[in-house]
Amino acid sequence: MKLIQLSVFLENRPGRLARSCRVLADAGIDIVAANVVDTREFGILRLIVADAEAATKALAGAGYAVNRAEVVAVEVADRPGSMAVILEALDAAGVNVEYAYAFTERRGARAALVFRFAQPEAAIAALQRAGIPVIGPVEAFRAG
Amino acid sequence: MSMQWNDVDGGMDPVSSADFMPRQQLKSLQMQRMRAVVRHAYEHVSVFRGRMDAAGVKPDDIRSLDDVRRLPFTHKTDLRDHYPFGLFAVPMPEIVRLHASSGTTGKPIVVAYTAEDIRVWSEVMARSFAACGLSRRDVVQNAYGYGLFTGGLGAHYGAEAIGATVIPISGGNTERQLTVLKDFGVTAICCTPSYFLHLWESAQAQGLKRGELKLKVGVFGAEPWTEDMRARIQREAGIRAHDIYGLSEIIGPGVACECHCQCGPHIFEDHFYPEIIDPKSGEPLPDGAEGELVLTTLSKRAMPMIRYRTHDITSLSDDTCNCGRSLRRIRRIARRSDDMLIIRGVNLYPSQIETALLRVRGTAPHYQIEIGRENDLDTLAVRVEIDPAALGDQLADLEDLRDEVSRSIEGVTGLRAQIHLAEPNSIERSQGKAKRVIDRRRLS
């Protein structure tokens, strides 16, 4: 039920983000979700891709520092209040969200959110109890 | 070469026999050679003659090794001022080889060898490799640059002299280096420590494992490096890393090399006479005291050097090494008297930054020091590459890492530096000596 998120270290200089995306593009890697956090000097590009193995290889081969983390993706209906419902369910279970961002693609009225939890197992259990669909592999969301 | 090189298992081999000469015998050999080289230099090099005359000292005045201190020093500027051939002591037909330095500042310096000089150079390099435990059974990847730089050919001749299988791959082309390292069953590698680290990181990025390699020894030199750097190389690559010392002005690599005890390079004192002096006053210092290394070539014919100021800061050992060699050791050279930076009135050596970085997990010891001046105040910034293995997914971790680096540098140097975390491989790798310092104060 967990997805692999890649974290790529980037110096905060013009062109660095573009170059890393070019490396992925040249390797034929499809980006499912992306999120950049940065300070004045450096940042981390967080990525969910269809093929984490191939993406890691391409990025590391191009000299990037890449790391992996486990995240949880949740399917949400694209209407007001969906996010609130999810966060309330997590809150009720006492699970903290470290950060969250959205999939770049959606399927009809369905969208997807990526969450990073300190305790992903507890989070998944809480979400399932609340009847919120947790996405297994990326393909399942796309096919559904 | 008529000697039987290093073909014995265990015990003292003929290559290294001179390393174990009793001190008294060594001193009398040094004295005999010192007298000859001073006379040779005086008679054939006008610069030496002029300087000795001005100092009121004649070759006959050198009656004991204590008299050596009466001889004038030779400086690197002498080689530049008398470029290209002004310090040669034999006519060109006797010279069989010229090498030259890269000349990072101004004109290059040129050094010369007679056939006998090349033999001596091969001998000291052979003794260096023997001290590292290498023999004819080793396969040596020589990744020092071949060409005008003395590293490549110096190591090549020495490795051949012990009968090892030499791969003259020269510097650069990391991909090919790794292929050869793996496919040719390489057991020993020669290069700069920073280049080896780069090779090793590239090997890991390619998924190459220690078990796939036969590499067991590295003979590293041509740039100052620290004990922490050695520890890291040995731990990560699982090899024994030996420090070899030399400089083109004296002969090239092979002036001194570490034995298996790895407690500082043994100077081949039968060919190079070492002194430690106070770099300011020029006064000789006793064994054990730290100062500038001064070297006199005892057997060089083409281009003898009398009391050459190396600018390398070290000390001479005052105890005997467990290996039994009678040759004194120099303490690892991690700094030079001329690479000292003064920042806001505080002395800083680049090697201190290396030491500080190696104490922090999460950075690679690839760094660049940038010094500038803002509002009449010196600024110190250190760019350091992050270690991919230490990357997390949170900015806070990186900020913690940056602060930890900053604290470590302040702890070692007493200076606060602005830390810039850099992407892996973003700091330029040199094939030879790493460029560690950019001092913009000199440029403005």
Side-chain angles (χ1 to χ4, degrees):
Chain A
M1 302 300 275
K2 286 172 278 188
L3 296 183
I4 296 293
Q5 170 191 267
L6 304 182
S7 314
V8 185
F9 176 81
L10 296 173
E11 285 175 55
N12 204 344
R13 286 191 281 133
R16 301 310 297 163
L17 182 58
R19 194 180 151 261
S20 59
C21 291
R22 172 51 57 195
V23 167
L24 291 170
D26 290 349
I29 307 286
D30 192 5
I31 299 173
V32 178
N35 166 246
V36 177
V37 282
D38 65 343
T39 67
R40 209 152 49 90
E41 288 187 359
F42 51 78
I44 296 175
L45 166 64
R46 298 169 180 151
L47 293 168
I48 308 288
V49 294
D51 187 346
E53 206 58 54
T56 305
K57 217 174 156 205
L59 287 165
Y64 286 95
V66 188
N67 224 311
R68 288 156 173 251
E70 287 183 330
V71 292
V72 177
V74 175
E75 198 177 300
V76 291
D78 191 8
R79 62 165 182 263
S82 302
M83 179 115 176
V85 170
I86 294 169
L87 292 172
E88 281 156 9
L90 293 166
D91 202 27
V95 176
N96 273 331
V97 175
E98 299 198 347
Y99 55 82
Y101 54 97
F103 271 33
T104 50
E105 55 190 293
R106 59 182 65 192
R107 283 285 178 276
R110 296 177 303 121
L113 291 170
V114 178
F115 287 94
R116 171 78 155 127
F117 301 110
Q119 304 99 13
E121 281 76 17
I124 290 168
L127 290 164
Q128 287 174 332
R129 272 198 308 276
I132 295 161
V134 175
I135 297 169
V138 167
E139 292 73 26
F141 171 73
R142 289 180 159 175
Chain B
M1 258 157 274
S2 58
M3 265 177 103
Q4 279 291 308
W5 296 106
N6 208 34
D7 194 22
V8 285
D9 289 310
M12 194 200 306
D13 61 68
V15 173
S16 309
S17 57
D19 297 5
F20 299 88
M21 190 184 286
R23 283 299 302 176
Q24 212 44 50
Q25 194 186 333
L26 177 65
K27 278 187 176 169
S28 85
L29 178 64
Q30 284 181 316
M31 190 54 230
Q32 180 196 328
R33 288 181 171 171
M34 178 66 80
R35 256 198 285 261
V37 78
V38 169
R39 177 165 300 283
H40 178 57
Y42 184 87
E43 287 175 356
H44 298 104
V45 185
S46 61
V47 178
F48 289 130
R49 187 165 55 247
R51 230 172 250 169
M52 282 174 62
D53 286 346
V57 51
K58 296 274 180 270
D60 284 340
D61 295 334
I62 308 304
R63 294 192 195 90
S64 75
L65 291 172
D66 283 339
D67 292 330
V68 171
R69 65 174 66 188
R70 298 178 58 191
L71 294 164
F73 292 119
T74 307
H75 300 267
K76 188 160 197 162
T77 48
D78 294 323
L79 283 95
R80 294 218 179 91
D81 294 347
H82 302 280
Y83 171 87
F85 305 149
L87 294 182
F88 291 8
V90 299
M92 200 55 102
E94 284 189 44
I95 288 171
V96 300
R97 179 96 65 80
L98 298 178
H99 279 282
S101 81
S102 47
T104 42
T105 49
K107 279 185 279 194
I109 57 160
V110 182
V111 295
Y113 303 79
T114 64
E116 172 62 10
D117 292 339
I118 295 285
R119 192 205 63 76
V120 168
W121 190 14
S122 306
E123 179 202 310
V124 290
M125 277 308 296
R127 286 161 66 185
S128 297
F129 286 132
C132 296
L134 303 187
S135 73
R136 59 194 295 271
R137 274 167 288 277
D138 282 287
V139 178
V140 179
Q141 180 160 342
N142 184 16
Y144 282 120
Y146 280 66
L148 287 178
F149 174 52
T150 49
L153 284 170
H156 182 101
Y157 276 53
E160 274 193 359
I162 60 165
T165 309
V166 188
I167 305 165
I169 192 165
S170 194
N173 198 338
T174 301
E175 286 295 308
R176 194 175 54 183
Q177 300 272 1
L178 291 177
T179 304
V180 165
L181 193 62
K182 184 162 168 275
D183 295 349
F184 291 12
V186 169
T187 59
I189 188 165
C190 307
C191 58
T192 58
S194 61
Y195 187 64
F196 179 75
L197 207 62
H198 170 62
L199 266 185
W200 188 250
E201 286 164 1
S202 308
Q204 283 178 311
Q206 291 188 7
L208 203 64
K209 298 279 181 304
R210 260 157 69 161
E212 296 175 69
L213 302 176
K214 290 186 174 162
L215 191 66
K216 58 183 169 61
V217 171
V219 185
F220 302 129
E223 69 186 11
W225 54 310
T226 59
E227 205 51 48
D228 298 276
M229 178 87 138
R230 181 201 330 250
R232 178 166 180 159
I233 287 174
Q234 296 198 144
R235 186 177 63 239
E236 293 189 1
I239 63 169
R240 220 169 54 236
H242 288 259
D243 190 10
I244 187 165
Y245 173 77
L247 57 170
S248 300
E249 300 91 312
I250 296 302
I251 201 157
V255 172
C257 188
E258 280 185 330
C259 66
H260 63 86
C261 300
Q262 295 180 297
C263 52
H266 288 276
I267 299 193
F268 297 108
E269 290 185 85
D270 46 332
H271 293 299
F272 314 107
Y273 181 78
E275 296 170 83
I276 296 291
I277 62 156
D278 178 333
K280 287 207 181 75
S281 70
E283 285 303 310
L285 298 171
D287 286 358
E290 184 182 88
E292 180 181 337
L293 178 66
V294 169
L295 291 165
T296 298
T297 60
L298 292 175
S299 33
K300 215 131 155 265
R301 296 298 293 171
M303 197 170 155
M305 277 291 141
I306 308 294
R307 302 195 83 200
Y308 184 75
R309 300 278 300 253
T310 67
H311 289 289
D312 289 318
I313 301 294
T314 182
S315 60
L316 281 169
S317 59
D318 51 6
D319 58 342
T320 46
C321 185
N322 288 336
C323 72
R325 281 177 176 74
S326 47
L327 306 171
R328 281 178 293 175
R329 288 158 287 134
I330 45 174
R331 209 196 47 224
R332 162 190 292 287
I333 291 167
R335 59 197 183 93
R336 294 170 49 79
S337 63
D338 58 356
D339 72 4
M340 187 183 82
L341 300 156
I342 301 177
I343 294 161
R344 289 171 236 147
V346 177
N347 296 349
L348 173 76
Y349 290 96
S351 59
Q352 291 178 292
I353 300 291
E354 183 175 300
T355 299
L357 293 175
L358 282 157
R359 288 180 188 173
V360 178
R361 283 216 161 276
T363 59
H366 295 295
Y367 62 95
Q368 205 157 46
I369 301 166
E370 278 192 38
I371 301 148
R373 185 164 282 162
E374 275 171 31
N375 306 322
D376 291 327
L377 269 179
D378 296 332
T379 59
L380 172 65
V382 176
R383 255 173 79 77
V384 56
E385 290 181 10
I386 71 158
D387 177 358
L391 177 69
D393 64 332
Q394 308 268 19
L395 276 182
D397 298 340
L398 289 170
E399 285 168 339
D400 288 348
L401 175 64
R402 183 191 58 197
D403 295 345
E404 203 186 330
V405 168
S406 178
R407 276 195 303 277
S408 181
I409 288 176
E410 193 174 353
V412 172
T413 67
L415 285 163
R416 266 176 196 276
Q418 196 174 7
I419 310 301
H420 301 292
L421 298 181
E423 290 168 22
N425 286 300
S426 63
I427 294 170
E428 197 191 335
R429 306 288 195 269
S430 65
Q431 309 302 348
K433 309 178 190 214
K435 175 147 182 62
R436 301 292 198 197
V437 180
I438 299 171
D439 193 343
R440 300 193 193 284
R441 295 175 303 182
R442 289 185 203 134
L443 305 175
S444 53

